[in-house]
Amino acid sequence: MQPDLYLEIVSKRVYRGPNIYHYRKAMHVVVDIGDLEDYPSMKLDGFNERLLDLVPTLAEHTCSLGVKGGFVRRLTEDEGTWMGHIFEHVAIEIQNLAGIAVSFGKTRQIRNRLGRTGKESVYNVVYEYKNEETALASTDLAQQVVNYCIDPTRYPEFDWGLSLAKVIRIAEEYAYGPTTGAIVREAENRGIPSIRLKKKWSLVQFGWGYKQKRIWASTSSLTSYIATEIAQEKELTLQMLYDVGIPVPRGAEVTTFEGALEEANRIGYPVVTKPSDVSHGRGVTLNIEDENDLRKGFEKAKEYSRYVIVEQYVQGNDYRVLVVNGQFIAAAQRIPAHVVGDGIHTVDELVRIVNEDPRRGIGHEKVLTRITLDQSSLDLLESQGLTLDDVPEKGRFVQLKATANLSTGGTAVDVSDIIHYDNIRLAERAVKTIGLDIAGVDIIAEDISIPILSQRGVIIEVNAAPGLRMHLEPTEGTNRNVAKPIVDMLFPDGNDGRIPLIAVTGTNGKTTVSRWIAHVLKLSGRKVGLTTTDGIYIDGELQYVGDCTGPWSAKAVLKDPTVDFAVLETARGGILREGLGWDYCDVGCLLNISEDHLGLGGVETLEDLAEVKGVVLDQVKKDVGYGVINADDPLVMDQIDRIRGKPVLVSLNYKNPKLLDHVASGGDAVTITPNGMIQLIQNKSQTSILHVKSIPACHNGHAVFNIVNAMFVVAATIPFVSIEDIRAGLSSFTTNYSLTPGRMNIEFVKGARVIIDYGHNPDALKSQIMLVEGFHKDQHGIGRKAIVFGMPGDRPDSTIKHAAEIVAGHYDRYFLKEDWNRRGREPGEVPKILATVLVENGVHPDAIVMFFGDQTELDAITALYEWLEINDIAVVQADDILRARHHLLNKLEKKESEPGHFLPQSMPRDSSPFNYQSIAEMTWEEKSD
């Protein structure tokens, strides 16, 4: 049987932010190499030779050896290396060949996962990218390259050059150009975050919230609209410069050839024709000597604009002077696309030779752009007495483009060190006259090192949004980092453009903690952007409804120009789907890890879940950020080394050995004293914050989960607000529907207490039971207990059964229902599983009522309502919180709930003092007794 020798892509995923594989954007590709598992590179005849002949620049890769040529050594030493690893390097290199510099990558075999041939031949391949479309195209081409090099006879149509050119064109279309790319790199080097606001466009936001600034190529959010319009109108620009005594060529704007002819005769030949409002040298004709050429030039300019400028042609060199924020930055001499004769080759052959220069590429892919010949090039050759088939004499300068733009194949020579001071001052004056913050001043003069006023030089244009490539990487001379002064202008004095960002993750309590933090911050005067499972809130007002715990929602907040603080609930799903929507946070909170969503998205174990949620801790700012973690949760504590900032421990147990060791070494912590006082510990000093009985959300200490949540709120907000603000926020936050919809909302119906809660995982169910038992104790055992109970259908049977085991025996009546979306389950399947386990665990069948099929969650709530009597306590574990609450209160009870309702007088109250006795040392069953 013939071996199965090809690499197959099983799946591709684009991570658009920090993720479980890399702290920046990354491509994750799962590949199956089949029988190639038995054929590393040295066992495939001719493979290495074909690969390196096709992609010779792979020889530059260091690989894990850390030295140039390291990857080639991995290919050729011993047995060689495996195809997944080779695929990774090829995908990286294709991006580099397309002009996008990337280097990070790693490949790991997925153990215990069999591939198409029954072998452990499946690999995770991860590599860095900067432009998504280019990365995807590079991924597909890398697969083709690897398979072609394995057996070229199977792919006779494969054309490496043509395929690579397609990727380069995609990069040209979607990736940043050199100007935008340079400004983005400079900003990122300074720690300023960037967000691309639209694909294909060079529109970029720097910074977050109210601190944000924007660029569009080299136009900034500080650029004057009026100044840009003036610069677009070339005649108006020259008139304004002339009016302040700056030398400009004579000329006028015309709309007809007759007008052009009249103006040319007035100012005298030679003249220039150009469109009035078009950039990049399009439609320009230089050195027109007669009426016939004037007609051609006029018609050419007319193709681009209704208005044509006819102006005096000034002999000299073409210089570009860059001015930013009123200050001279750099200068370059621009030389039009050309070839130099050698007496041997034709013009056409010389162009091909020039284009072989490795510095030249397609569009803005490289330092220089390849020269392309068009009709204007042929006309220019004709004016020089040449055709493409002529052989110019040795040393002859043959001009191929009328203008000196780099985008048409021109070259640049840096002259920043020789430009005369008078010319610098003149350029700065010109830019200030027009009013631009960033401008390119075009000067025609024989020698820029001499004042242009002494050589009849002129300024011919002041350009808004000037290209930077000629200064960043001139063909000759010194590279100038001209992006730096632009970023300095936008963010002076080292400002990084960031607003504080707190990210909250964990299994239970994320929404409550996020809302509570936002509540504290709002009381302190902050305008908070908040994301939760319910939606996006700006300054306390709901702006978007939906599950907003992923990267899109985070970016929506960070893009909002009104917010000065971001609080982002961060769920597992978004991290797994495409990574985080931000790069670094000031505070990262990991509340807990418990059984939920296992078996989904590749998360099979609690350890897997901790690994995913720990990504938030990975992105805590180094040294200055805070990673707030639950010291009572071993899985959370296992992530402590991922915090590069300062760990802050939260514990219900003030005797927790890990907490004691941490504070003994000067670490920060929040805990609770035996009598119920929340304590902040900083630098071995303790501060009392508030007693839990003064925190309404803790419900007299029965809501232990909210005691923990309150401590996380203290730890997360103390770097930003006063202790007085924190106390005010703790004492004014409640679990009513308006503040925390679906999180332990307590309503009073028929004299009974109903807890509406979304929680459905084991720890959430335990928290519900603890609260119910606490309330029941306050009522001295008076009243019955019930639950409207269901589980999401996409959970494994084992999880559903475990949930039933937890609630068994804690309620007097069980109203079992299924979610509105059964998530692949048959009608009644989930309630029947729950009922079976409840009976197995001692619940009498008569205490169980099931609702499924045509009966919905609302029917279960109706049955509960009819069952309720005064002093009863019930939990409605709702799938659709809003619909469930509306049905209970508006359709059944016929009244709105009153937030903060007091206990009915018929219910006895517990007036005993709080006796904490370290809840963390008790089991949850003991807490319920």
Side-chain angles (χ1 to χ4, degrees):
M1 181 175 172
Q2 285 291 105
D4 180 46
L5 302 182
Y6 69 93
L7 179 143
E8 173 189 359
I9 292 178
V10 177
S11 65
K12 291 180 282 191
R13 184 174 293 279
V14 180
Y15 287 107
R16 299 181 177 92
N19 53 81
I20 56 176
Y21 298 106
H22 190 38
Y23 67 96
R24 303 190 76 171
K25 298 189 295 187
M27 282 289 300
H28 173 217
V29 185
V30 177
V31 301
D32 184 354
I33 66 173
D35 285 334
L36 285 166
E37 186 64 30
D38 300 325
Y39 290 84
S41 55
M42 285 299 288
K43 289 189 176 182
L44 294 169
D45 290 341
F47 174 85
N48 291 339
E49 292 77 9
R50 285 189 290 272
L51 179 64
L52 295 174
D53 182 59
L54 207 62
V55 195
T57 46
L58 286 170
E60 304 290 321
H61 288 212
T62 62
C63 199
S64 58
L65 299 180
V67 295
K68 182 178 176 180
F71 175 63
V72 174
R73 286 174 56 185
R74 291 287 305 276
L75 275 175
T76 57
E77 289 183 354
D78 301 322
E79 290 186 325
T81 190
W82 275 260
M83 286 303 136
H85 179 216
I86 296 169
F87 167 80
E88 167 209 322
H89 278 268
V90 175
I92 289 171
E93 185 55 26
I94 291 171
Q95 292 183 77
N96 280 280
L97 292 172
I100 300 175
V102 294
S103 58
F104 168 81
K106 62 181 177 182
T107 300
R108 299 289 184 270
Q109 188 179 44
I110 303 176
R111 297 295 181 185
N112 302 317
R113 178 170 172 180
L114 302 182
R116 61 180 184 267
T117 60
K119 297 182 173 67
E120 287 188 347
S121 58
V122 184
Y123 289 76
N124 279 322
V125 183
V126 178
Y127 43 86
E128 178 186 5
Y129 79 90
K130 292 180 180 174
N131 174 257
E132 183 175 322
E133 290 76 16
T134 308
L136 288 167
S138 299
T139 298
D140 292 338
L141 181 53
Q143 179 191 24
Q144 296 174 44
V145 167
V146 168
N147 286 334
Y148 172 81
C149 291
I150 292 169
D151 183 2
T153 63
R154 292 179 62 177
Y155 308 95
E157 303 299 320
F158 178 69
D159 186 319
W160 161 246
L162 183 62
S163 299
L164 179 61
K166 289 180 181 177
V167 176
I168 292 172
R169 281 194 290 272
I170 290 171
E172 173 71 12
E173 182 177 3
Y174 287 96
Y176 289 135
T179 294
T180 307
I183 300 172
V184 170
R185 286 192 298 274
E186 178 63 27
E188 290 179 346
N189 288 340
R190 276 184 42 179
I192 299 169
S194 66
I195 302 173
R196 191 173 195 172
L197 298 177
K198 188 173 177 63
K199 283 185 179 181
K200 295 189 180 183
W201 291 16
S202 294
L203 180 60
V204 182
Q205 173 184 317
F206 293 127
W208 294 334
Y210 82 102
K211 288 188 175 182
Q212 66 180 269
K213 297 289 191 299
R214 295 173 187 166
I215 63 163
W216 196 327
S218 61
T219 300
S220 83
S221 49
L222 303 180
T223 302
S224 162
Y225 174 77
I226 294 176
T228 302
E229 287 294 298
I230 292 171
Q232 283 288 98
E233 298 293 335
K234 294 180 173 60
E235 183 188 33
L236 176 58
T237 298
L238 296 180
Q239 180 64 50
M240 291 182 65
L241 297 182
Y242 174 79
D243 288 346
V244 296
I246 293 174
V248 297
R250 293 181 299 156
E253 186 178 82
V254 300
T255 58
T256 65
F257 174 68
E258 289 73 22
L261 183 60
E262 180 180 345
E263 183 62 22
N265 289 328
R266 184 184 73 81
I267 62 179
Y269 291 98
V271 298
V272 175
T273 57
K274 57 186 176 182
S276 176
D277 53 1
V278 176
S279 59
H280 299 297
R282 291 170 294 178
V284 177
T285 304
L286 304 175
N287 200 16
I288 296 172
E289 297 279 3
D290 54 41
E291 181 177 335
N292 185 50
D293 287 343
L294 179 66
R295 183 180 295 278
K296 292 179 181 179
F298 176 82
E299 291 174 352
K300 180 179 178 181
K302 265 288 198 180
E303 294 175 7
Y304 295 90
S305 176
R306 179 182 175 187
Y307 302 98
V308 176
I309 291 177
V310 179
E311 69 182 22
Q312 168 192 10
Y313 174 70
V314 178
Q315 188 70 40
N317 293 314
D318 186 331
Y319 297 98
R320 165 64 62 84
V321 179
L322 179 66
V323 176
V324 176
N325 203 22
Q327 302 295 314
F328 165 78
I329 301 301
Q333 179 183 350
R334 301 188 299 174
I335 302 170
H338 66 280
V339 293
V340 178
D342 61 3
I344 300 172
H345 296 93
T346 66
V347 173
D348 192 42
E349 291 169 338
L350 289 170
V351 171
R352 293 178 188 174
I353 292 170
V354 167
N355 282 339
E356 289 175 359
D357 184 338
R359 294 176 299 172
R360 289 190 182 269
I362 299 171
H364 297 303
E365 168 207 356
K366 296 185 178 179
V367 178
L368 298 173
T369 300
R370 291 175 188 165
I371 299 171
T372 57
L373 299 174
D374 54 18
Q375 187 58 49
S376 65
S377 304
L378 300 180
D379 293 342
L380 193 56
L381 281 172
E382 183 181 356
S383 70
Q384 299 169 78
L386 294 169
T387 69
L388 289 176
D389 296 325
D390 288 334
V391 177
E393 60 269 25
K394 187 174 182 178
R396 181 177 177 181
F397 182 94
V398 180
Q399 189 169 336
L400 300 170
K401 298 290 181 182
T403 59
N405 297 79
L406 268 66
S407 58
T408 58
T411 56
V413 178
D414 178 67
V415 294
S416 303
D417 293 332
I418 65 169
I419 183 173
H420 196 278
Y421 178 73
D422 288 355
N423 296 335
I424 291 175
R425 291 296 303 275
L426 197 64
E428 291 174 347
R429 276 187 61 220
V431 173
K432 290 175 181 177
T433 299
I434 304 305
L436 289 167
D437 59 332
I438 305 168
V441 181
D442 290 344
I443 297 176
I444 300 296
E446 291 293 338
D447 188 346
I448 200 69
S449 67
I450 300 171
I452 67 170
L453 293 175
S454 66
Q455 53 180 314
R456 304 183 71 177
V458 293
I459 290 178
I460 60 170
E461 283 187 37
V462 177
N463 298 275
L468 305 183
R469 184 164 54 149
M470 69 187 75
H471 308 295
L472 294 165
E473 296 182 280
T475 318
E476 298 177 30
T478 305
N479 294 356
R480 307 287 176 175
N481 181 11
V482 295
K484 184 179 185 301
I486 294 175
V487 176
D488 288 341
M489 176 187 71
L490 296 173
F491 297 95
D493 304 321
N495 181 2
D496 63 7
R498 294 175 182 269
I499 60 173
L501 190 157
I502 298 176
V504 181
T505 193
T507 303
N508 293 309
K510 298 186 297 295
T511 301
T512 299
V513 170
S514 298
R515 285 178 169 277
W516 209 338
I517 289 170
H519 177 73
V520 171
L521 293 170
K522 182 173 174 60
L523 290 180
S524 74
R526 298 284 195 159
K527 186 166 285 190
V528 181
L530 168 68
T531 65
T532 72
T533 53
D534 314 309
I536 299 173
Y537 295 79
I538 302 297
D539 198 26
E541 296 184 3
L542 180 63
Q543 304 294 329
Y544 183 92
V545 177
D547 186 347
C548 296
T549 57
W552 178 87
S553 308
K555 289 179 181 177
V557 163
L558 299 175
K559 289 177 182 178
D560 190 295
T562 67
V563 304
D564 61 17
F565 211 115
V567 179
L568 307 176
E569 180 181 347
T570 307
R572 162 207 61 89
I575 297 173
L576 287 172
R577 187 172 62 251
E578 53 179 293
L580 299 174
W582 40 271
D583 55 355
Y584 297 108
C585 59
D586 296 274
V587 177
C589 300
L590 179 51
L591 308 183
N592 45 60
I593 300 294
S594 63
E595 185 179 342
D596 201 5
H597 300 288
L598 298 185
L600 302 175
V603 177
E604 303 297 333
T605 66
L606 289 174
E607 288 73 18
D608 292 342
L609 190 59
E611 180 70 21
V612 173
K613 291 183 179 291
V615 169
V616 168
L617 300 181
D618 292 336
Q619 302 309 124
V620 170
K621 284 182 179 177
K622 186 178 180 181
D623 299 329
V624 297
Y626 298 87
V628 185
I629 57 176
N630 189 338
D632 298 329
D633 189 325
L635 286 169
V636 172
M637 283 301 295
D638 286 344
Q639 314 305 313
I640 190 170
D641 290 339
R642 299 172 72 169
I643 302 170
R644 294 183 295 169
K646 302 173 183 178
V648 181
L649 270 55
V650 169
S651 177
L652 278 169
N653 182 2
Y654 73 101
K655 293 181 180 179
N656 183 319
K658 292 180 180 178
L659 180 137
L660 294 175
D661 289 344
H662 181 67
V663 298
S665 62
D668 295 352
V670 180
T671 187
I672 187 168
T673 65
N675 69 350
M677 179 67 71
I678 292 177
Q679 293 284 117
L680 169 67
I681 305 172
Q682 293 178 307
N683 298 319
K684 301 182 181 180
S685 176
Q686 297 188 36
T687 303
S688 296
I689 302 298
L690 204 64
H691 196 283
V692 296
K693 282 198 171 185
S694 298
I695 303 174
C698 294
H699 295 291
N700 204 34
H702 299 313
V704 177
F705 52 90
N706 269 345
I707 297 176
V708 178
N709 290 341
M711 292 194 291
F712 268 97
V713 171
V714 173
T717 57
I718 193 64
F720 309 104
V721 302
S722 69
I723 289 176
E724 288 73 21
D725 287 329
I726 294 174
R727 287 173 179 149
L730 294 180
S731 60
S732 60
F733 185 84
T734 67
T735 59
N736 62 36
Y737 180 80
S738 62
L739 283 179
T740 56
R743 271 62 185 179
M744 298 293 184
N745 305 148
I746 300 175
E747 309 292 349
F748 291 92
V749 177
K750 295 173 66 177
R753 188 173 349 212
V754 178
I755 303 166
I756 302 176
D757 188 56
Y758 178 72
H760 50 261
N761 59 57
D763 280 1
L765 297 173
K766 293 173 184 178
S767 295
Q768 292 165 4
I769 293 168
M770 290 167 60
L771 185 58
V772 168
E773 296 292 352
F775 287 152
H776 202 238
K777 180 181 177 183
D778 282 349
Q779 296 172 197
H780 299 289
I782 297 174
R784 302 169 300 168
K785 298 172 288 184
I787 185 170
V788 175
F789 180 41
M791 285 293 288
D794 59 357
R795 302 305 192 265
D797 284 1
S798 59
T799 299
I800 296 173
K801 291 175 181 178
H802 185 207
E805 291 168 352
I806 290 170
V807 302
H810 290 282
Y811 298 95
D812 300 303
R813 185 61 60 96
Y814 297 83
F815 299 90
L816 305 183
K817 51 87 178 183
E818 55 192 3
D819 287 354
W820 294 95
N821 181 352
R822 295 193 302 272
R823 307 189 193 191
R825 294 280 183 173
E826 293 297 320
E829 185 178 354
V830 170
K832 290 174 182 177
I833 294 174
L834 294 172
T836 299
V837 176
L838 288 173
V839 172
E840 290 173 351
N841 283 267
V843 177
H844 195 282
D846 291 345
I848 300 171
V849 187
M850 288 191 288
F851 300 84
F852 57 86
D854 294 335
Q855 294 178 307
T856 69
E857 177 174 279
L858 303 184
D859 294 300
I861 294 172
T862 300
L864 168 70
Y865 180 82
E866 293 171 351
W867 179 85
L868 284 174
E869 297 176 355
I870 192 169
N871 292 337
D872 287 345
I873 304 171
V875 173
V876 175
Q877 190 217 44
D879 179 34
D880 188 327
I881 296 293
L882 180 61
R883 196 187 307 188
R885 181 175 183 272
H886 179 78
H887 182 71
L888 177 66
L889 300 179
N890 294 70
K891 290 192 174 182
L892 299 178
E893 186 70 353
K894 307 291 187 184
K895 73 177 183 70
E896 291 290 345
S897 172
E898 299 177 12
H901 201 297
F902 292 99
L903 288 171
Q905 290 299 316
S906 59
M907 294 184 180
R909 304 187 192 186
D910 183 6
S911 58
S912 61
F914 184 88
N915 187 10
Y916 186 69
Q917 295 298 318
S918 188
I919 290 176
E921 296 173 351
M922 302 162 60
T923 66
W924 79 269
E925 288 88 354
E926 289 170 337
K927 296 171 196 172
S928 302
D929 289 341

